[in-house]
PDB file of all heavy atoms in Angstrom:
ATOM      1  N   ALA B 151     143.385 120.366 155.515  1.00  0.00           N
ATOM      2  CA  ALA B 151     144.285 121.270 156.223  1.00  0.00           C
ATOM      3  C   ALA B 151     144.118 122.689 155.686  1.00  0.00           C
ATOM      4  O   ALA B 151     144.026 123.645 156.461  1.00  0.00           O
ATOM      5  CB  ALA B 151     145.729 120.798 156.054  1.00  0.00           C
ATOM      6  N   PHE B 152     144.018 122.825 154.366  1.00  0.00           N
ATOM      7  CA  PHE B 152     143.892 124.148 153.765  1.00  0.00           C
ATOM      8  C   PHE B 152     142.597 124.833 154.191  1.00  0.00           C
ATOM      9  O   PHE B 152     142.601 125.964 154.686  1.00  0.00           O
ATOM     10  CB  PHE B 152     143.955 124.027 152.229  1.00  0.00           C
ATOM     11  CG  PHE B 152     143.736 125.323 151.517  1.00  0.00           C
ATOM     12  CD1 PHE B 152     144.735 126.295 151.530  1.00  0.00           C
ATOM     13  CD2 PHE B 152     142.544 125.595 150.868  1.00  0.00           C
ATOM     14  CE1 PHE B 152     144.536 127.503 150.887  1.00  0.00           C
ATOM     15  CE2 PHE B 152     142.342 126.802 150.225  1.00  0.00           C
ATOM     16  CZ  PHE B 152     143.342 127.760 150.228  1.00  0.00           C
ATOM     17  N   ILE B 153     141.478 124.130 154.031  1.00  0.00           N
ATOM     18  CA  ILE B 153     140.187 124.736 154.369  1.00  0.00           C
ATOM     19  C   ILE B 153     140.138 125.120 155.847  1.00  0.00           C
ATOM     20  O   ILE B 153     139.677 126.198 156.217  1.00  0.00           O
ATOM     21  CB  ILE B 153     139.029 123.775 154.005  1.00  0.00           C
ATOM     22  CG1 ILE B 153     138.964 123.602 152.489  1.00  0.00           C
ATOM     23  CG2 ILE B 153     137.699 124.294 154.525  1.00  0.00           C
ATOM     24  CD1 ILE B 153     137.899 122.658 152.009  1.00  0.00           C
ATOM     25  N   MET B 154     140.667 124.261 156.676  1.00  0.00           N
ATOM     26  CA  MET B 154     140.593 124.544 158.113  1.00  0.00           C
ATOM     27  C   MET B 154     141.519 125.686 158.517  1.00  0.00           C
ATOM     28  O   MET B 154     141.202 126.446 159.422  1.00  0.00           O
ATOM     29  CB  MET B 154     140.912 123.275 158.908  1.00  0.00           C
ATOM     30  CG  MET B 154     139.762 122.283 158.913  1.00  0.00           C
ATOM     31  SD  MET B 154     138.231 123.032 159.550  1.00  0.00           S
ATOM     32  CE  MET B 154     137.154 122.887 158.137  1.00  0.00           C
ATOM     33  N   ARG B 155     142.675 125.821 157.833  1.00  0.00           N
ATOM     34  CA  ARG B 155     143.540 126.962 158.149  1.00  0.00           C
ATOM     35  C   ARG B 155     142.843 128.259 157.764  1.00  0.00           C
ATOM     36  O   ARG B 155     142.841 129.231 158.512  1.00  0.00           O
ATOM     37  CB  ARG B 155     144.874 126.852 157.411  1.00  0.00           C
ATOM     38  CG  ARG B 155     145.878 125.800 157.903  1.00  0.00           C
ATOM     39  CD  ARG B 155     146.191 125.857 159.372  1.00  0.00           C
ATOM     40  NE  ARG B 155     145.216 125.089 160.150  1.00  0.00           N
ATOM     41  CZ  ARG B 155     145.229 123.757 160.250  1.00  0.00           C
ATOM     42  NH1 ARG B 155     146.137 123.046 159.648  1.00  0.00           N
ATOM     43  NH2 ARG B 155     144.310 123.137 160.975  1.00  0.00           N
ATOM     44  N   VAL B 156     142.198 128.262 156.578  1.00  0.00           N
ATOM     45  CA  VAL B 156     141.456 129.454 156.160  1.00  0.00           C
ATOM     46  C   VAL B 156     140.397 129.791 157.204  1.00  0.00           C
ATOM     47  O   VAL B 156     140.240 130.948 157.627  1.00  0.00           O
ATOM     48  CB  VAL B 156     140.800 129.236 154.780  1.00  0.00           C
ATOM     49  CG1 VAL B 156     139.855 130.376 154.455  1.00  0.00           C
ATOM     50  CG2 VAL B 156     141.859 129.099 153.712  1.00  0.00           C
ATOM     51  N   ALA B 157     139.693 128.763 157.663  1.00  0.00           N
ATOM     52  CA  ALA B 157     138.652 128.975 158.656  1.00  0.00           C
ATOM     53  C   ALA B 157     139.239 129.573 159.929  1.00  0.00           C
ATOM     54  O   ALA B 157     138.676 130.499 160.521  1.00  0.00           O
ATOM     55  CB  ALA B 157     137.954 127.654 158.963  1.00  0.00           C
ATOM     56  N   GLU B 158     140.388 129.058 160.337  1.00  0.00           N
ATOM     57  CA  GLU B 158     140.988 129.558 161.577  1.00  0.00           C
ATOM     58  C   GLU B 158     141.431 131.012 161.435  1.00  0.00           C
ATOM     59  O   GLU B 158     141.277 131.802 162.363  1.00  0.00           O
ATOM     60  CB  GLU B 158     142.185 128.684 161.970  1.00  0.00           C
ATOM     61  CG  GLU B 158     141.741 127.458 162.755  1.00  0.00           C
ATOM     62  CD  GLU B 158     142.775 126.364 162.739  1.00  0.00           C
ATOM     63  OE1 GLU B 158     143.960 126.667 162.499  1.00  0.00           O
ATOM     64  OE2 GLU B 158     142.394 125.205 162.972  1.00  0.00           O
ATOM     65  N   ILE B 159     141.974 131.331 160.259  1.00  0.00           N
ATOM     66  CA  ILE B 159     142.390 132.718 160.045  1.00  0.00           C
ATOM     67  C   ILE B 159     141.171 133.627 160.128  1.00  0.00           C
ATOM     68  O   ILE B 159     141.192 134.664 160.790  1.00  0.00           O
ATOM     69  CB  ILE B 159     143.095 132.863 158.679  1.00  0.00           C
ATOM     70  CG1 ILE B 159     144.455 132.156 158.742  1.00  0.00           C
ATOM     71  CG2 ILE B 159     143.275 134.331 158.312  1.00  0.00           C
ATOM     72  CD1 ILE B 159     145.105 131.956 157.401  1.00  0.00           C
ATOM     73  N   GLN B 160     140.086 133.190 159.491  1.00  0.00           N
ATOM     74  CA  GLN B 160     138.887 134.023 159.528  1.00  0.00           C
ATOM     75  C   GLN B 160     138.363 134.161 160.954  1.00  0.00           C
ATOM     76  O   GLN B 160     137.894 135.223 161.358  1.00  0.00           O
ATOM     77  CB  GLN B 160     137.810 133.441 158.612  1.00  0.00           C
ATOM     78  CG  GLN B 160     136.534 134.240 158.708  1.00  0.00           C
ATOM     79  CD  GLN B 160     135.574 133.963 157.582  1.00  0.00           C
ATOM     80  OE1 GLN B 160     135.938 133.494 156.519  1.00  0.00           O
ATOM     81  NE2 GLN B 160     134.319 134.272 157.819  1.00  0.00           N
ATOM     82  N   LEU B 161     138.466 133.074 161.732  1.00  0.00           N
ATOM     83  CA  LEU B 161     137.958 133.115 163.103  1.00  0.00           C
ATOM     84  C   LEU B 161     138.731 134.099 163.972  1.00  0.00           C
ATOM     85  O   LEU B 161     138.221 134.564 164.979  1.00  0.00           O
ATOM     86  CB  LEU B 161     138.057 131.730 163.734  1.00  0.00           C
ATOM     87  CG  LEU B 161     136.847 130.831 163.635  1.00  0.00           C
ATOM     88  CD1 LEU B 161     137.030 129.625 164.535  1.00  0.00           C
ATOM     89  CD2 LEU B 161     135.574 131.566 164.026  1.00  0.00           C
ATOM     90  N   SER B 162     139.986 134.394 163.585  1.00  0.00           N
ATOM     91  CA  SER B 162     140.776 135.280 164.433  1.00  0.00           C
ATOM     92  C   SER B 162     140.392 136.744 164.229  1.00  0.00           C
ATOM     93  O   SER B 162     140.917 137.613 164.898  1.00  0.00           O
ATOM     94  CB  SER B 162     142.267 135.066 164.164  1.00  0.00           C
ATOM     95  OG  SER B 162     142.540 135.352 162.819  1.00  0.00           O
ATOM     96  N   PHE B 163     139.471 137.015 163.296  1.00  0.00           N
ATOM     97  CA  PHE B 163     138.938 138.373 163.158  1.00  0.00           C
ATOM     98  C   PHE B 163     137.508 138.392 163.663  1.00  0.00           C
ATOM     99  O   PHE B 163     136.780 137.421 163.475  1.00  0.00           O
ATOM    100  CB  PHE B 163     138.942 138.807 161.693  1.00  0.00           C
ATOM    101  CG  PHE B 163     140.316 138.957 161.121  1.00  0.00           C
ATOM    102  CD1 PHE B 163     140.866 137.966 160.340  1.00  0.00           C
ATOM    103  CD2 PHE B 163     141.057 140.106 161.383  1.00  0.00           C
ATOM    104  CE1 PHE B 163     142.133 138.099 159.816  1.00  0.00           C
ATOM    105  CE2 PHE B 163     142.325 140.240 160.856  1.00  0.00           C
ATOM    106  CZ  PHE B 163     142.881 139.244 160.083  1.00  0.00           C
ATOM    107  N   PRO B 164     137.071 139.515 164.260  1.00  0.00           N
ATOM    108  CA  PRO B 164     135.671 139.592 164.686  1.00  0.00           C
ATOM    109  C   PRO B 164     134.743 139.526 163.475  1.00  0.00           C
ATOM    110  O   PRO B 164     135.071 140.043 162.402  1.00  0.00           O
ATOM    111  CB  PRO B 164     135.570 140.959 165.365  1.00  0.00           C
ATOM    112  CG  PRO B 164     136.962 141.407 165.597  1.00  0.00           C
ATOM    113  CD  PRO B 164     137.827 140.719 164.606  1.00  0.00           C
ATOM    114  N   THR B 165     133.592 138.899 163.678  1.00  0.00           N
ATOM    115  CA  THR B 165     132.637 138.696 162.592  1.00  0.00           C
ATOM    116  C   THR B 165     132.273 140.007 161.909  1.00  0.00           C
ATOM    117  O   THR B 165     132.245 140.097 160.688  1.00  0.00           O
ATOM    118  CB  THR B 165     131.354 138.059 163.159  1.00  0.00           C
ATOM    119  OG1 THR B 165     131.732 137.009 164.012  1.00  0.00           O
ATOM    120  CG2 THR B 165     130.471 137.564 162.059  1.00  0.00           C
ATOM    121  N   LEU B 167     133.841 142.703 161.676  1.00  0.00           N
ATOM    122  CA  LEU B 167     134.949 143.259 160.909  1.00  0.00           C
ATOM    123  C   LEU B 167     135.006 142.610 159.530  1.00  0.00           C
ATOM    124  O   LEU B 167     135.181 143.278 158.510  1.00  0.00           O
ATOM    125  CB  LEU B 167     136.256 143.010 161.661  1.00  0.00           C
ATOM    126  CG  LEU B 167     137.419 143.921 161.290  1.00  0.00           C
ATOM    127  CD1 LEU B 167     137.107 145.352 161.669  1.00  0.00           C
ATOM    128  CD2 LEU B 167     138.680 143.461 161.993  1.00  0.00           C
ATOM    129  N   ILE B 168     134.823 141.283 159.514  1.00  0.00           N
ATOM    130  CA  ILE B 168     134.806 140.565 158.234  1.00  0.00           C
ATOM    131  C   ILE B 168     133.668 141.092 157.374  1.00  0.00           C
ATOM    132  O   ILE B 168     133.838 141.386 156.185  1.00  0.00           O
ATOM    133  CB  ILE B 168     134.603 139.051 158.477  1.00  0.00           C
ATOM    134  CG1 ILE B 168     135.673 138.492 159.390  1.00  0.00           C
ATOM    135  CG2 ILE B 168     134.526 138.307 157.154  1.00  0.00           C
ATOM    136  CD1 ILE B 168     136.930 138.073 158.710  1.00  0.00           C
ATOM    137  N   LEU B 171     134.497 144.354 155.997  1.00  0.00           N
ATOM    138  CA  LEU B 171     135.525 144.202 154.967  1.00  0.00           C
ATOM    139  C   LEU B 171     134.894 143.772 153.640  1.00  0.00           C
ATOM    140  O   LEU B 171     135.118 144.398 152.600  1.00  0.00           O
ATOM    141  CB  LEU B 171     136.544 143.169 155.437  1.00  0.00           C
ATOM    142  CG  LEU B 171     137.836 143.089 154.633  1.00  0.00           C
ATOM    143  CD1 LEU B 171     138.702 144.295 154.931  1.00  0.00           C
ATOM    144  CD2 LEU B 171     138.590 141.810 154.961  1.00  0.00           C
ATOM    145  N   ILE B 199     129.199 135.232 154.357  1.00  0.00           N
ATOM    146  CA  ILE B 199     130.600 134.809 154.285  1.00  0.00           C
ATOM    147  C   ILE B 199     131.262 134.848 155.661  1.00  0.00           C
ATOM    148  O   ILE B 199     132.107 134.016 155.972  1.00  0.00           O
ATOM    149  CB  ILE B 199     131.354 135.692 153.263  1.00  0.00           C
ATOM    150  CG1 ILE B 199     130.897 135.325 151.847  1.00  0.00           C
ATOM    151  CG2 ILE B 199     132.859 135.516 153.373  1.00  0.00           C
ATOM    152  CD1 ILE B 199     131.418 136.238 150.778  1.00  0.00           C
ATOM    153  N   SER B 200     130.809 135.795 156.498  1.00  0.00           N
ATOM    154  CA  SER B 200     131.457 135.870 157.812  1.00  0.00           C
ATOM    155  C   SER B 200     130.975 134.760 158.746  1.00  0.00           C
ATOM    156  O   SER B 200     131.513 134.594 159.831  1.00  0.00           O
ATOM    157  CB  SER B 200     131.198 137.234 158.435  1.00  0.00           C
ATOM    158  OG  SER B 200     129.822 137.378 158.685  1.00  0.00           O
ATOM    159  N   TRP B 202     130.290 131.229 157.866  1.00  0.00           N
ATOM    160  CA  TRP B 202     130.311 129.825 157.431  1.00  0.00           C
ATOM    161  C   TRP B 202     131.182 128.937 158.302  1.00  0.00           C
ATOM    162  O   TRP B 202     131.001 127.727 158.371  1.00  0.00           O
ATOM    163  CB  TRP B 202     130.818 129.733 155.988  1.00  0.00           C
ATOM    164  CG  TRP B 202     132.250 130.149 155.808  1.00  0.00           C
ATOM    165  CD1 TRP B 202     132.723 131.410 155.668  1.00  0.00           C
ATOM    166  CD2 TRP B 202     133.392 129.295 155.788  1.00  0.00           C
ATOM    167  NE1 TRP B 202     134.075 131.404 155.559  1.00  0.00           N
ATOM    168  CE2 TRP B 202     134.525 130.125 155.630  1.00  0.00           C
ATOM    169  CE3 TRP B 202     133.584 127.908 155.893  1.00  0.00           C
ATOM    170  CZ2 TRP B 202     135.831 129.613 155.584  1.00  0.00           C
ATOM    171  CZ3 TRP B 202     134.883 127.408 155.831  1.00  0.00           C
ATOM    172  CH2 TRP B 202     135.991 128.248 155.688  1.00  0.00           C
ATOM    173  N   VAL B 203     132.155 129.546 159.012  1.00  0.00           N
ATOM    174  CA  VAL B 203     133.186 128.743 159.676  1.00  0.00           C
ATOM    175  C   VAL B 203     132.602 127.761 160.682  1.00  0.00           C
ATOM    176  O   VAL B 203     132.982 126.592 160.721  1.00  0.00           O
ATOM    177  CB  VAL B 203     134.208 129.674 160.368  1.00  0.00           C
ATOM    178  CG1 VAL B 203     135.198 128.865 161.174  1.00  0.00           C
ATOM    179  CG2 VAL B 203     134.924 130.501 159.320  1.00  0.00           C
ATOM    180  N   ARG B 207     133.194 123.740 160.599  1.00  0.00           N
ATOM    181  CA  ARG B 207     133.919 122.995 161.635  1.00  0.00           C
ATOM    182  C   ARG B 207     133.061 121.873 162.205  1.00  0.00           C
ATOM    183  O   ARG B 207     133.520 120.754 162.392  1.00  0.00           O
ATOM    184  CB  ARG B 207     134.309 123.938 162.766  1.00  0.00           C
ATOM    185  CG  ARG B 207     135.317 124.955 162.335  1.00  0.00           C
ATOM    186  CD  ARG B 207     135.739 125.749 163.520  1.00  0.00           C
ATOM    187  NE  ARG B 207     137.186 125.702 163.655  1.00  0.00           N
ATOM    188  CZ  ARG B 207     137.844 126.031 164.736  1.00  0.00           C
ATOM    189  NH1 ARG B 207     137.196 126.400 165.811  1.00  0.00           N
ATOM    190  NH2 ARG B 207     139.139 125.975 164.781  1.00  0.00           N
TER     191      ARG B 207
END
Side-chain angles (χ1 to χ4, degrees):
Chain B
F152 176 73
I153 294 178
M154 284 304 119
R155 287 308 86 78
V156 171
E158 275 160 22
I159 290 167
Q160 176 164 338
L161 267 191
S162 60
F163 294 100
T165 314
L167 201 65
I168 303 274
L171 192 73
I199 288 172
S200 65
W202 65 277
V203 174
R207 293 185 125 196

